[in-house]
Amino acid sequence: MPDTTLLNSSVKIAALELRIELEAVAAEQRLAGQPHTGSATLGEFGGSEIGVWEMTPGAMSDVEADEIFVVLFGAGTVEFEETGETVLLAPGDVMRLRAGQRTVWTITQTLRKVYFA
Protein backbone atom coordinates (compact mmCIF):
# COMPACT_ATOMS: atom_id res chain seq x y z
CA MET A 1 0.00 0.00 0.00
CA PRO A 2 1.43 3.39 -0.94
CA ASP A 3 2.14 6.19 1.51
CA THR A 4 -1.15 8.14 1.42
CA THR A 5 0.72 11.43 1.71
CA LEU A 6 2.37 10.91 -1.69
CA LEU A 7 -0.11 13.08 -3.53
CA ASN A 8 0.65 15.90 -1.12
CA SER A 9 4.20 16.08 -2.46
CA SER A 10 5.76 16.17 -5.92
CA VAL A 11 6.06 12.40 -6.29
CA LYS A 12 4.77 10.41 -9.24
CA ILE A 13 2.53 7.39 -8.62
CA ALA A 14 2.38 4.67 -11.29
CA ALA A 15 -1.34 3.89 -11.01
CA LEU A 16 -1.12 1.18 -13.68
CA GLU A 17 1.52 -0.71 -11.69
CA LEU A 18 0.25 -0.04 -8.17
CA ARG A 19 -0.09 -3.22 -6.08
CA ILE A 20 -3.65 -3.49 -4.79
CA GLU A 21 -4.70 -6.23 -2.38
CA LEU A 22 -7.94 -7.79 -3.59
CA GLU A 23 -10.64 -9.45 -1.50
CA ALA A 24 -13.64 -11.53 -2.53
CA VAL A 25 -16.84 -9.55 -2.98
CA ALA A 26 -19.23 -10.18 -0.09
CA ALA A 27 -21.84 -12.86 -0.84
CA GLU A 28 -24.73 -10.38 -0.45
CA GLN A 29 -23.26 -8.19 -3.23
CA ARG A 30 -21.98 -10.95 -5.55
CA LEU A 31 -24.28 -11.56 -8.52
CA ALA A 32 -22.13 -13.66 -10.89
CA GLY A 33 -18.73 -15.31 -10.92
CA GLN A 34 -16.17 -14.85 -8.16
CA PRO A 35 -15.26 -11.16 -8.41
CA HIS A 36 -12.64 -9.60 -6.16
CA THR A 37 -12.16 -5.90 -5.44
CA GLY A 38 -9.63 -3.71 -3.73
CA SER A 39 -8.51 -0.12 -3.49
CA ALA A 40 -5.61 2.04 -2.45
CA THR A 41 -6.17 5.54 -1.10
CA LEU A 42 -3.55 7.89 -2.51
CA GLY A 43 -4.40 11.11 -0.72
CA GLU A 44 -6.78 14.03 -0.62
CA PHE A 45 -7.28 17.02 -2.89
CA GLY A 46 -9.74 19.83 -2.24
CA GLY A 47 -11.60 17.74 0.32
CA SER A 48 -11.95 14.74 -2.02
CA GLU A 49 -10.33 11.36 -1.50
CA ILE A 50 -8.24 10.18 -4.44
CA GLY A 51 -7.56 6.51 -4.93
CA VAL A 52 -7.28 3.55 -7.25
CA TRP A 53 -9.93 0.78 -7.32
CA GLU A 54 -9.86 -2.56 -9.11
CA MET A 55 -12.38 -5.34 -9.80
CA THR A 56 -11.80 -8.75 -11.39
CA PRO A 57 -14.33 -10.39 -13.76
CA GLY A 58 -17.79 -11.08 -12.38
CA ALA A 59 -20.80 -9.04 -11.32
CA MET A 60 -21.70 -7.24 -8.10
CA SER A 61 -24.26 -4.79 -6.79
CA ASP A 62 -23.25 -1.57 -5.07
CA VAL A 63 -24.59 1.69 -3.64
CA GLU A 64 -22.43 4.54 -4.87
CA ALA A 65 -20.68 7.45 -3.22
CA ASP A 66 -20.41 10.82 -4.97
CA GLU A 67 -17.50 10.14 -7.32
CA ILE A 68 -15.78 10.93 -10.59
CA PHE A 69 -13.52 8.26 -12.06
CA VAL A 70 -11.25 7.53 -15.02
CA VAL A 71 -10.87 3.96 -16.30
CA LEU A 72 -7.20 3.02 -16.67
CA PHE A 73 -7.62 -0.51 -18.05
CA GLY A 74 -10.16 -3.28 -18.39
CA ALA A 75 -13.71 -3.56 -19.65
CA GLY A 76 -17.22 -3.97 -18.35
CA THR A 77 -20.49 -2.20 -17.71
CA VAL A 78 -22.20 -0.33 -14.93
CA GLU A 79 -26.00 -0.55 -14.84
CA PHE A 80 -28.13 1.94 -12.95
CA GLU A 81 -30.98 0.09 -11.25
CA GLU A 82 -33.27 3.16 -11.02
CA THR A 83 -33.21 3.90 -14.76
CA GLY A 84 -32.12 0.60 -16.32
CA GLU A 85 -29.39 2.49 -18.21
CA THR A 86 -26.23 0.46 -18.87
CA VAL A 87 -22.94 2.22 -19.63
CA LEU A 88 -20.00 0.46 -21.31
CA LEU A 89 -16.65 1.09 -19.63
CA ALA A 90 -13.29 1.11 -21.43
CA PRO A 91 -9.85 2.65 -20.90
CA GLY A 92 -9.94 6.43 -20.97
CA ASP A 93 -13.61 6.74 -20.03
CA VAL A 94 -14.51 9.39 -17.45
CA MET A 95 -17.74 8.97 -15.49
CA ARG A 96 -19.70 10.59 -12.67
CA LEU A 97 -21.55 8.60 -10.00
CA ARG A 98 -23.92 10.20 -7.52
CA ALA A 99 -24.27 9.24 -3.87
CA GLY A 100 -27.01 6.69 -3.27
CA GLN A 101 -27.26 5.38 -6.83
CA ARG A 102 -27.82 1.60 -6.87
CA THR A 103 -25.63 -0.03 -9.51
CA VAL A 104 -24.62 -3.38 -10.92
CA TRP A 105 -21.02 -3.68 -12.05
CA THR A 106 -20.36 -6.43 -14.62
CA ILE A 107 -16.67 -6.73 -15.37
CA THR A 108 -15.45 -8.80 -18.33
CA GLN A 109 -11.74 -7.86 -18.11
CA THR A 110 -10.15 -6.80 -14.82
CA LEU A 111 -10.96 -3.10 -14.51
CA ARG A 112 -8.90 -0.46 -12.73
CA LYS A 113 -9.95 3.14 -12.21
CA VAL A 114 -8.63 6.26 -10.51
CA TYR A 115 -11.39 7.85 -8.47
CA PHE A 116 -12.08 11.20 -6.82
CA ALA A 117 -14.75 10.87 -4.11
Side-chain angles (χ1 to χ4, degrees), residues 34-107:
Q34 297 296 320
H36 286 67
T37 63
S39 64
T41 302
L42 302 179
E44 194 174 289
F45 182 79
S48 293
E49 178 181 292
I50 301 170
V52 179
W53 178 86
E54 184 170 303
M55 181 176 166
T56 63
M60 66 174 275
S61 63
D62 202 10
V63 177
E64 300 303 332
D66 202 25
E67 172 184 325
I68 293 174
F69 68 84
V70 179
V71 176
L72 297 176
F73 62 72
T77 62
V78 61
E79 177 185 353
F80 297 89
E81 290 184 6
E82 291 86 0
T83 65
E85 178 185 13
T86 299
V87 178
L88 294 172
L89 298 174
D93 288 344
V94 178
M95 188 167 183
R96 166 81 189 265
L97 300 171
R98 298 194 189 287
Q101 287 179 307
R102 300 182 68 75
T103 57
V104 173
W105 291 77
T106 303
I107 303 304

Side-chain angles (χ1 to χ4, degrees), residues 8-10 12 14 18 21 24 27 47 53 57-58 67 79 81 86 93-94 96 105 109-110 113 115:
N8 296 326
S9 62
S10 297
K12 177 182 96 168
L18 188 63
E21 292 190 32
W53 178 86
E67 172 184 325
E79 177 185 353
E81 290 184 6
T86 299
D93 288 344
V94 178
R96 166 81 189 265
W105 291 77
Q109 296 176 355
T110 297
K113 64 181 183 173
Y115 67 85

